Amino acid sequence: MDEHPAESVDIESIDIAKEMETSYIDYAMSTIVSRAIPDVRDGLKPVQRRLLYSMDELGGSPNSAYKKSARIVGDTMGKYHPHGDQALYDALVRMAQDFSLRYCLVDGQGNFGSVDGDPAAAMRYTETRLTQLSAAMLDDIDRDTVDFVDNFDGSAEMPEVLPSVIPNLLVNGATGIAVGMATSMPPHNLREIGRAIEQYIDDPEVSSRDLMRNVKGPDFPTGGIVYDDGLEQAYTQGRGRVTVLADVQKEEVRGNTDAWVIHDLPYMVNKANLVERIATLVRDKVIEDIRDIRDESDRHGMRVVIELRNRHDGTAWEVLNRLFKHTALRTTFSINNLALVPNEMPEGEHAGVGQPEQLSLRRLIELFVKHRQIVVRRRAAFDLRKAEAREHLLEGYAIALEKIDDVIKVIRAADDTESARNELMQGFGLTEIQANAILDMQLRRLVRLERDQILEELKSVRANIKELKATLADEARILEIIRTETREVTEKFGDERKTEIRKGSAGDFNAEDLVADEDCLVTMSSAGYVKRVPANTYRRQGRGGKGIRGFRSKTGGIIEHFLVANTHDHLLFFTNKGKVYRVRAYELPEQGRDAQGHNLVNLLPVEEGERATAVLAIPNFEAGDYLVFGTRRGEVKRSALTQFVSVRSNGLLAMDVDDDDELAWVRLVTDETHVMFFTRNGMSIRFMLDDIRASGRTSGGVRAIRLGANDEVVAMDLTSDEGFVLLVTESGYGKKMDVNEFRPQGRGGQGLKAINLGEKNKKVADARTLLSKDEEIAFVTSDGQVMRCGCAAIRPLKRAAAGVIVMRMDAAETLLRVARLADGREVDAGKNAIVESGENS
């Protein structure tokens, strides 16, 4: 059996890294140039340009009959854009959506989707044609105004760019994601852009800031409100961001109920998803006081009604602020003016698609005007060529008419057409084109009227040629034509602005400006449910009363945190793990006295096993103020308040706490000079604040009191040389003592006995220091009962006494907490009206 040696094959070795780099760059450039980034001249991506040109070729003018979208897509795909039909149809649909484009380029008939996110009908059901605006963009395309290039297989030609008398990139904007870059350009008002173009023509050295006198800001098709604080950077540098808000108005509905009504949405916000999001927030109690949500939008406009539960003005503004905070009613639009800028040729014309460039407002207008200069110049040159050709023919006609008898004699004597043409050319000095025109001339052109019309036309054509040459020789005339055409377009297609531009920053729109400045009570339960109630919710009672229920809940626990605050105060929530979180008081939901409240985990990003054990209301962060921290195991720490001015959204470490301990109390130092700790077994200690060295935010504490066996700290507070101590036990007993009953000691000792405990009064539940004997206090029980009374009703006792009944409770009920209140804010709530605790042991 013969063996044939294998044929040798040349194998080329390549560097895989270089090959990948080259291939990736080629792919990236193809995506940038042929797909995602618009051309700065007509503002269109290739797929959009090809669709519009194909519609024009098929006779889809604004005055013609609609044509099936499937036909448009098929023709474009077969001749110019060999990609998926769905991608083509999606591009066609977007150009027909009045909520996507500020000025639609496609006039659609049928279902083209909605602002609710509904998809368009299949392309076999919808019909399209050009709008008046897109037809104007295609005007003069047959007058050699733009270059044509071969399609993908060389069987047809398509325009490299449209003449586009309209600054489409600025008025309709563009979005696209390429490889390594993206464009995000907002739409603008055509009238404003038209005035800016005229301003640039008048002064080519005008700056972007000067152009902003005419271009106020984006003008989105869906309206909304834009704050102008980020516009200058976006227009001068080509990159920035602006905040967009929905247009929400307060109205009275159903006779006597207030409601917030949404009339406009931020650009590209899905209305159905927004309504669903609001409903979810109401269900999860992130937003309270909303009774009903109705979408009453129709063909006359958008109308989403958010009906409120009550007519309290402060509550209404709080609801609105929460809506802006937690929903897409407030969004950020990132501006990145990236577009393809063609290469500049020596003669001043553009060649090819060029390369991507980040553009300022002035540069965008400059490049559009340059494009129009090229279009007008090429159009004038084309018209000049046609006029000169017509002049040439008419001159031949004029010669023939002047010597008509001789011309007729030559033609009659000629043997054939060729000899007649030659005789005319030689005998009368005519060109071949003129001779052919005379031979083709009809006999009716010889009548006197026709002869006069030819001579008159020749005169008109010569005047037109003179005008066209003057235009081509004078750049100022070309700019004046651009000004005139721009003004005609803006007058024909321009309209009023839809988006309102407001001065200042969106940060100026905050709840502090909208919420009433008033006192409130903030409560939080052992299960982490927090709420805000009016300051007069708990009426004052005498000593020995039973109180009223703070809230009803089987799962919400009992009230442990109870403080007076102002709606504008900063609330600092400290957790058992030593972290701190911050919210504003008005951000807490205002609810009724017996409502469960809102779970804190929906307001703060607390970790698993973390719970709030201390709350402070801080009006402002003043230098020189200090916080004092206390733990269950008897450690104490002092830190400057200014270290907590900036608290991140995910919290901040406030104190390093041991694993077997927990942070339970935090106090703000005002005029106090001493710290007091109280234990469950009735011990107490009082020592100087100066015994605690001020330390950093992340440090741990030092020993405050030495605990006995089976004992723990149940309260920590601040005091001075004057005032009282109110101590209560689990069984409802309590007593008021002069603070001087507790002599100052050194930090870290065992302390003194604060109360004699027995079967009757059981263990210590809580203790507070008082500034005066007449202060307002509130008692909280394990069953959720809250009783408010004045300390004057409790007579002073000695430290060794067992106390008196301060609140009567059921057999299974225990007294847990005592809170100090401030009537009429005579005592600063942010510094003094505080309640903290942890879980009961």
Side-chain angles (χ1 to χ4, degrees):
M1 182 174 176
D2 294 335
E3 293 185 0
H4 300 282
E7 295 182 2
S8 62
V9 179
D10 292 333
I11 299 176
E12 181 182 356
S13 297
I14 62 172
D15 187 333
I16 187 64
K18 289 185 177 179
E19 178 64 24
M20 288 295 293
E21 181 180 351
T22 302
S23 299
Y24 187 77
I25 290 174
D26 291 342
Y27 162 72
M29 287 306 298
S30 174
T31 303
I32 293 167
V33 172
S34 303
R35 187 179 305 174
I37 308 299
D39 194 296
V40 72
R41 295 169 288 180
D42 60 8
L44 297 174
K45 301 176 186 179
V47 63
Q48 297 170 319
R49 186 181 303 114
R50 293 165 185 173
L51 281 165
L52 295 179
Y53 181 66
S54 182
M55 293 175 72
D56 186 53
E57 274 196 319
L58 289 172
S61 67
N63 299 320
S64 66
Y66 290 93
K67 288 182 171 56
K68 283 289 186 183
S69 299
R71 182 180 178 187
I72 305 298
V73 169
D75 189 74
T76 307
M77 183 169 57
K79 293 176 67 176
Y80 307 120
H81 200 76
H83 298 278
D85 60 341
Q86 192 57 48
L88 275 161
Y89 185 54
D90 289 344
L92 184 68
V93 165
R94 190 174 189 277
M95 289 191 290
Q97 293 175 335
D98 59 2
F99 53 88
S100 293
L101 264 65
R102 182 62 178 84
Y103 301 92
C104 289
L105 301 179
V106 170
D107 180 9
Q109 184 169 264
N111 174 20
F112 281 85
S114 72
V115 74
D116 287 322
D118 301 318
M123 68 180 79
R124 62 182 179 274
Y125 297 121
T126 61
E127 298 176 326
T128 56
R129 65 184 179 189
L130 294 172
T131 62
Q132 295 281 352
L133 191 81
S134 56
M137 292 178 66
L138 286 154
D139 277 348
D140 303 327
I141 198 169
D142 55 350
R143 296 167 71 179
D144 192 33
T145 51
V146 294
D147 291 332
F148 278 69
V149 294
D150 288 339
N151 68 344
F152 58 91
D153 62 0
S155 61
E157 286 190 330
M158 57 185 177
E160 182 184 85
V161 68
L162 298 188
S164 189
V165 69
I166 293 147
N168 180 62
L169 185 60
L170 279 163
V171 299
N172 271 328
T175 57
I177 301 174
V179 178
M181 61 183 63
T183 185
S184 177
M185 301 181 64
H188 294 83
N189 185 269
L190 179 56
R191 290 178 179 173
E192 293 181 4
I193 296 298
R195 288 193 293 268
I197 290 172
E198 293 189 48
Q199 184 182 0
Y200 172 81
I201 292 173
D202 291 334
D203 179 15
E205 301 301 320
V206 67
S207 67
S208 295
R209 288 185 179 89
D210 291 334
L211 288 169
M212 288 178 65
R213 292 202 302 267
N214 283 309
V215 183
K216 304 301 182 184
D219 190 17
F220 296 109
T222 52
I225 300 167
V226 169
Y227 284 87
D228 69 352
D229 63 317
L231 289 178
E232 183 171 329
Q233 178 183 347
Y235 287 146
T236 56
Q237 302 177 20
R239 192 180 186 96
R241 60 174 54 192
V242 294
T243 302
V244 188
L245 274 66
D247 181 11
V248 187
Q249 303 293 331
K250 191 176 181 183
E251 297 181 13
E252 185 179 276
V253 297
R254 295 185 180 179
N256 60 354
T257 303
D258 283 342
W260 289 113
V261 180
I262 303 170
H263 296 287
D264 290 336
L265 288 179
Y267 188 47
M268 302 303 291
V269 169
N270 185 304
K271 176 161 63 69
N273 290 348
L274 174 71
V275 172
E276 183 179 352
R277 170 66 176 163
I278 295 173
T280 301
L281 293 171
V282 173
R283 182 197 65 195
D284 295 342
K285 297 186 178 180
V286 175
I287 301 179
E288 304 284 345
D289 297 305
I290 292 180
R291 175 185 295 171
D292 190 21
I293 308 168
R294 302 187 301 275
D295 186 357
E296 299 178 355
S297 305
D298 55 22
R299 61 189 179 89
H300 298 295
M302 183 180 299
R303 181 179 171 84
V304 178
V305 180
I306 303 171
E307 191 174 321
L308 305 177
R309 292 186 182 278
N310 59 66
R311 304 198 68 179
H312 189 270
D313 192 57
T315 301
W317 287 109
E318 290 174 47
V319 170
L320 180 61
N321 275 281
R322 289 182 182 276
L323 288 170
F324 278 121
K325 179 177 180 180
H326 296 289
T327 73
L329 288 178
R330 172 174 175 163
T331 62
T332 299
F333 188 93
S334 295
I335 298 175
N336 187 20
N337 295 334
L338 190 78
L340 293 173
V341 178
N343 300 318
E344 193 84 15
M345 298 202 321
E347 57 271 25
E349 295 200 3
H350 291 144
V353 292
Q355 57 189 1
E357 184 180 325
Q358 194 162 302
L359 306 162
S360 65
L361 176 62
R362 182 194 176 278
R363 181 73 170 145
L364 283 165
I365 291 177
E366 174 193 8
L367 290 170
F368 174 75
V369 171
K370 281 187 175 181
H371 171 58
R372 287 302 298 167
Q373 285 177 284
I374 294 171
V375 168
V376 172
R377 190 181 300 113
R378 290 182 60 163
R379 184 181 66 194
F382 175 83
D383 291 344
L384 178 60
R385 291 193 299 271
K386 285 191 66 177
E388 289 177 336
R390 183 61 177 169
E391 179 193 33
H392 188 61
L393 285 178
L394 292 172
E395 287 176 342
Y397 286 152
I399 293 172
L401 290 173
E402 186 179 349
K403 303 177 180 180
I404 189 62
D405 293 336
D406 295 336
V407 169
I408 293 173
K409 181 186 286 188
V410 168
I411 294 173
R412 291 181 67 183
D415 295 330
D416 52 32
T417 303
E418 183 66 27
S419 60
R421 181 187 303 113
N422 291 333
E423 287 292 332
L424 289 172
M425 292 170 61
Q426 293 174 7
F428 300 96
L430 301 174
T431 65
E432 183 178 352
I433 294 174
Q434 291 173 326
N436 285 332
I438 292 171
L439 289 172
D440 294 336
M441 188 169 62
Q442 298 172 339
L443 289 176
R444 65 181 176 82
R445 304 297 297 275
L446 301 178
V447 301
R448 183 178 299 276
L449 181 61
E450 287 288 338
R451 292 169 61 187
D452 292 342
Q453 287 179 349
I454 288 172
L455 294 175
E456 187 64 31
E457 184 182 356
L458 178 60
K459 181 181 178 181
S460 175
V461 168
R462 284 173 174 168
N464 188 32
I465 290 172
K466 182 180 179 181
E467 187 71 21
L468 289 169
K469 286 182 177 179
T471 297
L472 289 170
D474 188 355
E475 199 64 36
R477 294 181 66 140
I478 291 178
L479 289 172
E480 193 58 35
I481 291 171
I482 295 172
R483 179 205 301 277
T484 301
E485 292 179 348
T486 301
R487 188 172 295 172
E488 290 173 353
V489 164
T490 55
E491 288 176 357
K492 183 176 181 179
F493 301 110
D495 56 4
E496 295 297 327
R497 165 174 284 279
K498 292 186 176 182
T499 299
E500 178 186 349
I501 304 296
R502 291 184 180 174
K503 297 290 183 182
S505 168
D508 295 339
F509 184 88
N510 55 63
E512 187 170 357
D513 298 328
L514 302 174
V515 175
D517 186 345
E518 57 188 11
D519 289 349
C520 60
L521 294 180
V522 176
T523 67
M524 196 180 83
S525 72
S526 57
Y529 285 87
V530 64
K531 67 178 179 179
R532 174 167 56 90
V533 298
N536 60 355
T537 297
Y538 300 100
R539 69 181 185 275
R540 181 171 176 170
Q541 298 182 25
R543 179 181 69 84
K546 290 184 64 67
I548 58 176
R549 184 172 295 276
F551 64 86
R552 294 191 297 267
S553 174
K554 295 181 179 179
T555 60
I558 57 95
I559 293 178
E560 288 194 336
H561 307 270
F562 193 100
L563 68 151
V564 174
N566 185 277
T567 49
H568 291 185
D569 285 349
H570 299 268
L571 297 182
L572 297 182
F573 288 86
F574 297 86
T575 71
N576 57 322
K577 294 185 177 182
K579 290 187 70 175
V580 60
Y581 301 86
R582 187 173 76 178
V583 297
R584 300 300 291 271
Y586 55 71
E587 293 179 322
L588 298 182
E590 184 176 75
Q591 295 183 313
R593 171 177 55 82
D594 58 351
Q596 177 173 281
H598 184 78
N599 201 312
L600 201 62
V601 298
N602 292 321
L603 293 174
L604 305 176
V606 294
E607 302 172 357
E608 185 176 355
E610 190 177 15
R611 67 184 189 281
T613 54
V615 186
L616 285 180
I618 308 294
N620 49 67
F621 293 84
E622 297 180 358
D625 286 345
Y626 286 89
L627 297 180
V628 177
F629 302 80
T631 73
R632 285 282 178 203
R633 302 303 303 162
E635 291 196 344
V636 67
K637 170 188 168 180
R638 181 164 65 109
S639 296
L641 176 63
T642 52
Q643 296 188 53
F644 303 92
V645 172
S646 300
V647 178
R648 297 188 296 266
S649 59
N650 61 344
L652 201 68
L653 183 63
M655 180 179 181
D656 186 13
V657 181
D658 294 337
D659 292 338
D660 62 343
D661 200 358
E662 65 176 27
L663 175 63
W665 302 273
V666 182
R667 295 285 188 268
L668 177 64
V669 180
T670 53
D671 299 323
E672 297 89 351
T673 56
H674 293 77
V675 184
M676 295 193 71
F677 275 73
F678 301 87
T679 75
R680 189 168 300 281
N681 290 338
M683 300 300 293
S684 66
I685 191 171
R686 177 186 175 202
F687 55 87
M688 295 287 293
L689 267 172
D690 292 341
D691 289 350
I692 314 168
R693 181 175 56 87
S695 58
R697 177 177 52 78
T698 59
S699 65
V702 294
R703 179 177 293 177
I705 185 172
R706 188 180 301 276
L707 297 174
N710 299 322
D711 202 1
E712 67 174 352
V713 178
V714 293
M716 181 204 81
D717 213 342
L718 305 179
T719 186
S720 58
D721 291 331
E722 297 180 357
F724 296 85
V725 173
L726 178 64
L727 183 146
V728 295
T729 68
E730 296 174 350
S731 59
Y733 278 75
K735 63 177 181 176
K736 182 173 64 178
M737 299 165 281
D738 191 288
V739 71
N740 291 307
E741 289 281 316
F742 303 87
R743 59 178 173 81
Q745 298 176 265
R747 176 181 56 81
Q750 289 185 345
L752 304 172
K753 185 179 288 291
I755 188 173
N756 280 324
L757 298 175
E759 186 65 25
K760 182 174 62 173
N761 54 12
K762 299 183 179 179
K763 299 290 186 180
V764 175
D766 200 3
R768 295 306 304 264
T769 62
L770 308 173
L771 298 180
S772 72
K773 62 180 181 180
D774 298 324
E775 244 185 277
E776 289 281 309
I777 55 173
F779 300 113
V780 185
T781 74
S782 59
D783 194 37
Q785 295 292 115
V786 177
M787 188 185 81
R788 172 182 174 181
C789 71
C791 281
I794 306 173
R795 61 185 177 88
L797 297 173
K798 294 295 184 181
R799 185 164 50 84
V804 296
I805 295 176
V806 294
M807 185 173 182
R808 300 188 183 277
M809 301 174 295
D810 297 334
E813 195 175 6
T814 57
L815 183 59
L816 294 182
R817 298 288 168 257
V818 57
R820 188 172 65 228
L821 304 180
D823 269 344
R825 297 191 68 81
E826 293 173 358
V827 180
D828 193 320
K831 299 183 178 180
N832 299 301
I834 303 164
V835 176
E836 300 83 357
S837 78
E839 297 287 349
N840 256 357
S841 299

